[in-house]
Amino acid sequence: MGRYGILILVTLAVVIGLIMSSNPEYAARMSDVSRSVAFTGETREMVIMLLALGIGAFVVYLAVTRR
């Protein structure tokens, strides 16, 4: 599967997203869902910090294991 598999999955997700967002009722419902699950305040800061730490750790891992 490799690189092309990931590219196919991303393309498929984009196409499905475009098709679904063209339906106004579905788009409004998805907007409500995204608003209800959005991180706010202190939780948002914590999620951003954890993402930054995870990305930093991954970069360090790649730098250390590179030959």
Side-chain angles (χ1 to χ4, degrees):
M1 191 157 168
R3 294 181 194 158
Y4 293 112
I6 293 171
L7 183 61
I8 291 169
L9 290 175
V10 169
T11 305
L12 186 63
V14 168
V15 169
I16 290 173
L18 289 172
I19 291 170
M20 294 306 246
S21 66
S22 65
N23 180 353
E25 181 180 314
Y26 182 79
R29 207 170 349 134
M30 290 311 293
S31 177
D32 290 340
V33 168
S34 67
R35 245 184 267 118
S36 68
V37 299
F39 295 114
T40 57
E42 192 173 317
T43 307
R44 181 179 181 165
E45 291 175 13
M46 186 69 93
V47 169
I48 292 172
M49 183 182 72
L50 289 173
L51 283 171
L53 285 173
I55 292 170
F58 183 66
V59 168
V60 168
Y61 166 77
L62 289 178
V64 169
T65 59
R66 187 174 179 116
R67 296 176 187 189

